[in-house]
């Protein structure tokens, strides 16, 4: 997908800073850390934080906590937008390489809550070894 089209679809202006951040997500196979995004970004951190916040609010990205509780960010699916921001999918964090992957075909465990409770977010993260790291080393 073209970066400017993706921004437009989420009602976001196409600025150089936003295009740079979106391009960083489009080239990634796993959720991005703030350090990875900052490395690819040619601006100040405040602009990066504001860009990420506006992307979250627009339903373009979602936050994925890793095992240490640090935020990682990943592109949302086509179903997300500012009025419907749904991330009911699980994530996988690799103990070997540290990458975090969205698992869209693995539904998280659903729980029926007692009356009066309202869910805002659900985080289900599987930990182990990813398919890249799980390949046996050549002898």
């Amino acid at each position: 997908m073209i970066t400017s089209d993706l921004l437009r679809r989420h009602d976001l202006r196409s600025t150089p800073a936003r295009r740079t951040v979106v391009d960083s997500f489009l080239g990634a196979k796993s959720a991005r850390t703030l350090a990875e995004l900052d490395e690819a970004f040619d601006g100040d951190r405040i602009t990066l934080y504001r860009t990420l916040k506006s992307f979250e609010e627009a339903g373009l990205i979602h936050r994925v906590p890793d095992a240490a509780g640090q935020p990682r960010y990943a592109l949302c699916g086509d179903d997300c937008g500012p009025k419907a921001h749904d991330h009911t999918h699980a994530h996988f964090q690799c103990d070997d390489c540290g990458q975090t992957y969205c698992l869209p075909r693995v539904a998280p465990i659903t729980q029926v809550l007692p009356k009066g409770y309202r869910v805002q977010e659900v985080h289900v993260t599987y930990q182990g070894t990813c398919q890249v790291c799980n390949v046996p080393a050549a002898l």
Side-chain angles (χ1 to χ4, degrees), residues 57-136:
E57 290 171 353
L60 179 59
I61 64 172
H62 63 282
R63 191 178 324 188
V64 182
D66 66 13
Q70 297 300 311
R72 291 177 181 257
Y73 300 88
L75 284 175
C76 291
D78 292 335
D79 299 349
C80 287
K83 293 185 174 99
H85 204 37
D86 183 22
H87 312 283
T88 54
H89 63 270
H91 297 91
F92 186 92
Q93 184 171 14
C94 181
D95 293 330
D96 292 346
C97 66
Q99 296 298 314
T100 300
Y101 302 92
C102 292
L103 300 174
R105 292 186 182 93
V106 178
I109 300 166
T110 57
Q111 179 67 40
V112 178
L113 295 173
K115 186 176 180 178
Y117 287 81
R118 186 176 61 121
V119 175
Q120 289 179 311
E121 289 185 58
V122 174
H123 298 282
V124 175
T125 304
Y126 295 92
Q127 281 187 254
T129 307
C130 71
Q131 61 187 9
V132 174
C133 295
N134 203 23
V135 174

Side-chain angles (χ1 to χ4, degrees), residues 7-87:
L7 290 166
R8 194 174 313 112
R9 199 172 85 216
H10 286 85
D11 296 325
L12 294 165
R13 287 185 315 120
S14 180
T15 65
R18 287 178 175 172
R19 287 191 301 270
T20 298
V21 175
V22 168
D23 286 342
S24 179
F25 283 112
L26 290 174
K29 294 185 187 322
S30 62
R32 312 286 290 163
T33 64
L34 281 172
E36 291 168 336
L37 292 166
D38 191 34
E39 187 176 305
F41 188 66
D42 190 29
D44 62 271
R45 273 212 169 151
I46 299 295
T47 302
L48 176 60
Y49 293 146
R50 288 180 180 159
T51 299
L52 293 173
K53 182 175 171 63
S54 66
F55 284 5
E56 275 190 279
E57 290 171 353
L60 179 59
I61 64 172
H62 63 282
R63 191 178 324 188
V64 182
D66 66 13
Q70 297 300 311
R72 291 177 181 257
Y73 300 88
L75 284 175
C76 291
D78 292 335
D79 299 349
C80 287
K83 293 185 174 99
H85 204 37
D86 183 22
H87 312 283

